[in-house]
């Protein structure tokens, strides 16, 4: 538990903004704090702010990879250049802005339209945040042309957007968190991923993962701090370290949702 707190605290410090707090008791070291985005930021500062949003609040890496294939969405490496040629008479900047707020206006060949508009719940990025993310995407292989917009990177609790969905059954929670993008679970709709271990009998496997650690404690840790213990077998061979599973669920789930999920998964014998 200590390690998890230290790791999460370090993440909070490395990130220059801090969010999600009271509703998420397992992360005690993060009070909600808004960070200002200025209209006078340099392109580099804009891209750095956008990178933080992509890696944390935007949860883009749940689906996308950067420099590696995503679980079910295109690799964003080089998107800054590629964006210019996606749609006729549409600049890279316009295409990227559109990709964020109206993702299905253009669906990349070979993929399905599953990306939620980033300016709507649950992400609810504001204009300044959308622009910062666009700046970051342009920096991946292209030139940053988008102009910063003044605003704040707000904690979901202060801009009124939910940090998490209202999902309350384990199945709803897993759907909302897109666990099925990577995991299979027999009998649960949408859970057919082939990136991480099949969770169908997780209660049994989890009990045997770490000596002296209960199934529930192991599952709790696996969700909050995936790299703390790497499961041996993934569908395509040995699981990779650090874990491909993003360490974002401590931010996305309320303590209650985490309990519901752990209870349910530990019961899968
Ligand atoms: C639920 C999964 C999911 C999430 C979360 C997600 N995306 Fe996507 N995204 C996709 C998929 C699938 C596509 C390809 C289909 C399409 O074009 O809509 C895509 C397409 C894109 C494209 C166009 C790529 C291209 O090659 O033209 C961009 C840019 C993009 N996403 C950026 C983002 C950013 C930035 C975030 C976070 C703020 C994000 N996405 C979050 C699934 C996701
Ligand atoms: C981007 C892919 C991805 C997503 C999304 C993801 N996982 Fe994982 N998960 C993995 C991988 C890969 C592993 C194996 C490596 C490891 O142990 O961390 C794993 C491991 C686990 C384990 C340990 C399994 C074992 O056999 O020891 C649990 C439990 C788990 N994930 C639950 C979840 C839950 C619940 C969600 C949704 C809240 C989720 N995962 C979302 C990829 C993912």
């Amino acid at each position: 538990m200590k390690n998890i707190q230290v790791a999460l605290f370090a993440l909070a410090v490395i990130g220059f903004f801090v969010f999600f707090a009271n509703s998420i008791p397992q992360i005690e070291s993060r009070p909600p704090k808004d960070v200002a985005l200025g209209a006078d930021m340099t392109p580099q500062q804009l891209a750095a702010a956008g990178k933080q949003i992509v890696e944390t609040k935007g949860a883009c890496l749940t689906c996308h990879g950067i420099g590696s294939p995503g679980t079910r969405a295109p690799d964003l490496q080089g998107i800054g250049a590629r964006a210019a040629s996606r749609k006729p008479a549409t600049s890279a900047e316009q295409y990227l802005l559109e990709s964020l707020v109206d993702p299905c206006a253009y669906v990349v060949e070979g993929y399905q339209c599953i990306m939620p508009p980033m300016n709507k719940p649950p992400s609810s990025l504001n204009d300044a945040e959308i622009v910062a993310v666009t700046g970051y995407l342009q920096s991946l292989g292209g030139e940053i042309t988008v102009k910063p917009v003044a605003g704040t990177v707000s904690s979901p609790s202060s801009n009124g957007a939910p940090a998490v969905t209202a999902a309350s059954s384990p199945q709803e929670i897993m759907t909302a968190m897109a666990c099925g993008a990577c995991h299979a679970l027999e009998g649960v709709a949408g859970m057919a991923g082939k990136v991480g271990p099949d969770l169908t009998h997780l209660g049994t496997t989890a009990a045997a993962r770490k000596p002296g650690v209960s199934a529930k404690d192991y599952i709790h840790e696996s969700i909050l701090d995936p790299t703390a213990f790497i499961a041996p077998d993934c569908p395509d061979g040995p699981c990779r370290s650090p874990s491909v599973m993003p360490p974002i669920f401590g931010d996305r789930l309320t303590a209650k949702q985490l309990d519901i999920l752990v209870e349910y998964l530990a019961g899968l014998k």
Side-chain angles (χ1 to χ4, degrees), residues 100-118:
L100 296 175
V101 300
D102 188 7
C104 299
Y106 177 97
V107 177
V108 178
E109 205 192 321
Y111 292 92
Q112 284 171 319
C113 169
I114 54 163
M115 176 169 158
M118 289 294 141

Side-chain angles (χ1 to χ4, degrees), residues 146-265:
V146 69
K147 293 284 168 283
V149 168
T152 37
V153 178
S154 47
S155 63
S157 52
S158 69
N159 71 2
V164 289
T165 66
S168 60
S169 76
Q171 291 81 1
E172 281 171 348
I173 297 168
M174 290 188 296
T175 303
M177 298 297 143
C179 310
C182 299
H183 293 284
L185 208 176
E186 255 169 51
V188 178
M191 294 283 296
K194 293 202 168 0
V195 179
D198 187 317
L199 302 180
T200 307
H201 304 292
L202 184 65
T204 307
T205 32
R209 283 285 187 233
K210 288 171 96 174
V213 176
S214 71
K216 279 188 195 170
D217 286 348
Y218 170 74
I219 294 170
H220 190 267
E221 179 189 78
S222 299
I223 296 173
L224 290 185
D225 187 7
T227 295
F229 179 94
I230 303 290
D233 300 316
C234 279
D236 59 354
C239 300
R240 277 186 281 158
S241 180
S243 182
V244 172
M245 179 163 156
I248 58 170
F249 296 111
D251 282 344
R252 313 285 289 181
L253 295 163
T254 61
K256 180 127 191 290
Q257 288 174 321
L258 182 62
D259 282 349
I260 292 169
L261 210 47
V262 169
E263 191 73 32
Y264 167 78
L265 292 171

